[in-house]
Amino acid sequence: VAGAGWQQPEIMFGLPSRIEWLARAQLEGRPAIDPVAVYVGGETLHAELLDLFRKAWPRTVVINTYGTTETKAIATACGECGELHVLEDIVHLELYGEGGRPLQEGEFAHEVYCTGMWNRVTPVVRYAMTDRIQLLGDIGCAWRTRRIRVAGREPAFVWAQHQHTGAWVPLNARMLKESLVGLPDVLGFRVRYAEVGRLELTLVVSREGGEAALREAASRAVAELTRDQGSAVTELLPRVEIHVVSAEHFNREGGKLNAISAT
């Protein structure tokens, strides 16, 4: 926040969850910046965040972007409609309904494939993506490429190995996400499953206090996740680490909010 106040940036680019902290600080009277444009990417730009940015910086143009590490840029928001337009000279994006049928306007794609056309070192061909992408209709924008809306990425499955049988059990992380999103005073979360049997869960809170209750609620959510597969937590996830941190701590450490990663 102090750095932004000193630099007085005209253009900013960052994760929506990082720009969010600057916007909240702006509404509190610090750092008092007035950027011409704010580009966001790397996370889903939810409607409430867009409203927050516009409230903090009424004169600023907010531009959403969308891409992946493997394919780089995929779409950028249009200045007319505000929705994402596919960068068809950079990527070939395929959107299909169930069974591979053509996707209709307004539908969310059941299958998504992306082919990068600029990477001549390591070609990425028909990269299967888990993002929830909605195909929007043509409303006559000057930018003539397809319009899409990205509603976020489907949470990964967590494949846990049963401690007694050795069998691999898929845990649906969407259930865990839905439980964590509803916790009070929680700005976001991060779940990491980087080694067998060990789950690391971080809750980012808006204010101090109530950490014990939040840890207990998160523990119940993990227990419900394993119970859905007929197992106890100790049988599938013998090491569950739950951390409750402030937004400032999370920002300094880095990482995406509301992300579930599993190897």
Side-chain angles (χ1 to χ4, degrees):
V1 171
W6 174 73
Q7 295 179 44
Q8 288 294 306
E10 293 182 326
I11 297 177
M12 296 193 298
F13 184 94
L15 295 169
S17 60
R18 294 301 183 276
I19 301 297
E20 176 186 2
W21 312 136
L22 287 176
R24 294 189 186 281
Q26 175 81 15
L27 293 175
E28 295 173 359
R30 54 185 186 94
I33 58 178
D34 188 23
V36 174
V38 171
Y39 289 78
V40 293
E43 294 175 346
T44 305
L45 178 60
H46 297 291
E48 58 268 21
L49 282 184
L50 184 58
D51 291 341
L52 174 66
F53 299 159
R54 288 173 173 165
K55 184 178 180 181
W57 304 297
R59 301 191 303 171
T60 300
V61 178
V62 180
I63 301 173
N64 190 22
T65 65
Y66 171 59
T68 67
T69 302
E70 295 81 3
T71 62
K72 306 309 175 190
I74 294 177
T76 301
C78 166
E80 292 181 77
C81 69
E83 302 286 357
L84 293 168
H85 279 251
V86 179
L87 302 171
E88 295 180 350
D89 55 341
I90 297 178
V91 298
H92 177 58
L93 185 66
E94 300 174 65
L95 305 174
Y96 300 105
E98 290 191 52
R101 63 173 176 78
L103 195 66
Q104 303 299 314
E105 292 181 2
E107 285 187 315
F108 280 94
H110 186 73
E111 299 175 47
V112 179
Y113 302 101
C114 189
T115 299
M117 296 192 292
W118 275 28
N119 191 342
R120 295 175 181 143
V121 179
T122 307
V124 177
V125 180
R126 301 201 82 215
Y127 172 54
M129 300 165 60
T130 57
D131 293 347
R132 298 188 67 243
I133 299 180
Q134 182 183 23
L135 180 62
L136 303 179
D138 183 0
I139 60 171
C141 299
W143 195 350
R144 301 306 302 148
T145 63
R146 283 180 299 168
R147 300 193 316 140
I148 60 172
R149 182 178 296 158
V150 183
R153 177 164 292 183
E154 285 294 304
F157 276 88
V158 173
W159 286 87
Q161 188 173 29
H162 200 286
Q163 296 296 298
H164 303 312
T165 66
W168 289 95
V169 180
L171 303 176
N172 189 349
R174 182 193 293 182
M175 178 188 298
L176 180 61
K177 179 178 180 179
E178 290 175 354
S179 299
L180 297 177
V181 166
L183 295 179
D185 300 318
V186 173
L187 295 173
F189 64 87
R190 181 180 62 202
V191 176
R192 287 175 174 168
Y193 185 64
E195 59 183 85
V196 176
R198 176 174 172 266
L199 186 77
E200 182 183 357
L201 196 160
T202 302
L203 298 175
V204 183
V205 296
S206 57
R207 61 183 179 85
E208 295 182 357
E211 286 86 353
L214 285 176
R215 288 193 181 93
E216 184 179 346
S219 296
R220 288 197 301 268
V222 175
E224 185 178 351
L225 181 69
T226 59
R227 191 184 305 117
D228 187 59
Q229 289 291 342
S231 300
V233 175
T234 54
E235 293 175 325
L236 297 179
L237 301 169
R239 295 174 57 195
V240 177
E241 302 174 10
I242 300 176
H243 310 283
V244 180
V245 302
S246 66
E248 181 180 357
H249 178 93
F250 187 83
N251 279 335
R252 291 184 183 279
E253 183 180 293
K256 292 184 179 182
L257 273 179
N258 300 333
I260 298 178
S261 60
T263 57

